[in-house]
Amino acid sequence: MDEQKGGTPGMDESAQDAGLGAELPGGRARPKTGKSEQTRALILETAMRLFQERGYEKTTMRAIAAEAGISVGNAYYYFASKEFLIQGFYDGMTVEHAVDAARRMQGHTEFADRLHVALSSWLDTAAPYHEFAAQFFRTAADPNSSLSPFANESHRARATAVGLFRDVLTGSDVAPKLDKELAELLPDLLWLHLMIIVLYWVFDHTPDQERTREFVRRSTPMVAKVVVLSRYRVFRPLVRDVKGLIQDFILPTIGRTAT
Amino acid sequence: MDEQKGGTPGMDESAQDAGLGAELPGGRARPKTGKSEQTRALILETAMRLFQERGYEKTTMRAIAAEAGISVGNAYYYFASKEFLIQGFYDGMTVEHAVDAARRMQGHTEFADRLHVALSSWLDTAAPYHEFAAQFFRTAADPNSSLSPFANESHRARATAVGLFRDVLTGSDVAPKLDKELAELLPDLLWLHLMIIVLYWVFDHTPDQERTREFVRRSTPMVAKVVVLSRYRVFRPLVRDVKGLIQDFILPTIGRTAT
DNA sequence: AGCAGGTTTTGAACGCGTTCGAAACCTGCG
DNA sequence: CGCAGGTTTCGAACGCGTTCAAAACCTGCT
């Protein structure tokens, strides 16, 4: 609400550095990479460990601080709130997913296959966190929270995920046959599709989320079918309408990078 | 988590009485309708008023109690948590919506019209609560919360809303032309459609939620078109697949009353 | 060494949701 | 009336997220 004090970190981790390793190229001018980053990482790791051990609610900020051997205030110096800890986690998981999916898609060229692999990969990556991830997606529906995968303009995780789905498409056999504009929309749509699956997943209490896996197995071919069918003449008007709707109403609300 | 103490109310308001007026038919044997119900109502009204005045977060339980002239402990005797206050509110709003929509649909027979009226009616009914309603739908995505419109088996509000959409369909011109099974599915699907619109609405910050209204205006005809198209032979296989998917995976997770 | 500027760390304190044991209030029964 | 059993009300106390003013810790500069 109020203005930030000085140059507190923890708020603006979006623009800072794009890559993963935080090596400043030329200089040891400011010893930026030193203690500060270390503490930050320590807090995040400790928090994640405790979240997995006891769940989100049960893990208190005091416990995190104690376990990490620092003070509560210090944790708040790096993370504006408890929720921001999850943000850090989620960013990491998304990258993990993108890497794993890319690896597993190698060799597959059929669209349905690639899509299925990408989604399964997400389920596998997220599985260890199933219980406490629910907590994350709870706040996803909050427009005031900067955690929302929708609202926040520069959500790094979303960009990564959409990029992955672009890859799913471009590496597949249907790519060249599709209407160009539609091809541009699809990655975002597939990401939305993933969001729906995630919603389903969150509510899924079967062991190993078997139900969601079955859901993916059965829904993926249909999605593929729809994509393929969309090329036929009969559907043109409908496809055009839907495309317009999405372009005008959905995409603008989730921050796009370019047109 | 733990077991409830004695016969605390506030938890089981689902089964108790189906109707609205809580008149016990024959008897003043137990003076059930007396002080207790009054206090409960007083708390709810006070809470709603304050929520609208200052928003959900800013309204403290202490403030509600003070304003209602009771103690905090007493408020918790009737409502298991702050969230449960919203539940009470939401149930009421849903009924209000159903009544308003039914009234406004009179005379309209075209499916698209009726659907549009029903959705617009929701937007009008919910408009006064736009800001703090967001808080409600935030917790809707929480599988552990009994507020969730999805998970909770016997959510009164959902039953009401689905009933309304059944009405939208049966009172329309397309009703007799539809495949019977599909006709049984549709009310639930339309309800899901509303949930998506609500999600959109929650994020909509334009004045009077004009953007969502426009979204509804443009998306409704498409939905109608899809419904009508679903009768054509070409789509049969796809429709059948989708129907199976929904029947097997979606509906079971949201508590249906009957098959 | 000593000082000025910033960054990092601390821990006590605040506000709020929630709990709980005890009081107050019924109401019917002996 | 007096008492037992239940319901309703109370408010102090607990735990947790979060804030904040002050301390500690860096540097680099003179």
Side-chain angles (χ1 to χ4, degrees), chain A residues 93-112:
Chain A
M93 200 194 82
T94 307
V95 173
E96 207 184 319
H97 168 224
V99 171
D100 179 67
R103 192 174 49 71
R104 283 161 65 174
M105 280 194 302
Q106 281 173 0
H108 294 272
T109 61
E110 205 164 332
F111 177 66

Side-chain angles (χ1 to χ4, degrees), chain A residues 1 57 83 131 134-135 137-145 148 150-151 196 199-200 202-203 205 211-212 214-215 218-219 222 225-226 229 234-235 237-238 241-242 244-246 248-250 252-253, chain B residues 57-58 83 131 134-135 137-145 148 150-151 196 199-200 202-203 205 211-212 214-215 218-219 222 225-226 229 234-235 237-238 241-242 244-246 248-250 252-253:
Chain A
M1 294 281 165
E57 310 270 359
E83 284 191 351
E131 187 160 358
Q135 191 61 38
F137 292 101
R138 176 191 211 280
T139 67
D142 182 0
N144 303 319
S145 165
S148 167
F150 300 113
I196 289 173
L199 181 64
Y200 194 90
V202 163
F203 282 88
H205 287 139
R211 198 169 174 75
T212 306
E214 183 67 23
F215 181 51
R218 274 184 57 183
S219 68
M222 284 182 228
K225 219 182 272 184
V226 170
L229 278 185
V234 233
F235 300 87
L238 187 62
D241 283 355
V242 172
L245 190 73
I246 289 167
D248 294 353
F249 285 89
I250 312 279
T253 77
Chain B
E57 310 269 0
K58 296 263 188 66
E83 283 190 355
E131 187 160 358
Q135 191 59 39
F137 292 102
R138 176 191 211 280
T139 66
D142 182 0
N144 303 320
S145 164
S148 168
F150 300 112
I196 289 171
L199 181 64
Y200 194 90
V202 163
F203 282 89
H205 286 140
R211 198 169 173 77
T212 306
E214 182 68 23
F215 182 50
R218 273 185 59 182
S219 67
M222 283 183 228
K225 218 182 273 185
V226 169
L229 277 185
V234 231
F235 302 86
L238 185 61
D241 283 354
V242 172
L245 190 73
I246 289 168
D248 294 353
F249 285 89
I250 313 279
T253 77

Side-chain angles (χ1 to χ4, degrees), chain A residues 20 52 88-104 118 121-122 124-129 157 160-161 164:
Chain A
L20 294 172
Q52 265 178 266
F89 152 77
Y90 185 60
D91 285 356
M93 200 194 82
T94 307
V95 173
E96 207 184 319
H97 168 224
V99 171
D100 179 67
R103 192 174 49 71
R104 283 161 65 174
S121 164
W122 192 92
D124 293 339
T125 311
Y129 315 106
T160 308
L164 168 64

Side-chain angles (χ1 to χ4, degrees), chain B residues 126-162:
Chain B
Y129 314 105
H130 182 260
E131 187 160 358
F132 103 83
Q135 191 59 39
F136 174 76
F137 292 102
R138 176 191 211 280
T139 66
D142 182 0
N144 303 320
S145 164
S146 47
L147 285 192
S148 168
F150 300 112
N152 192 5
E153 190 74 34
S154 60
H155 199 176
R156 200 189 280 176
R158 175 161 37 75
T160 308
V162 170

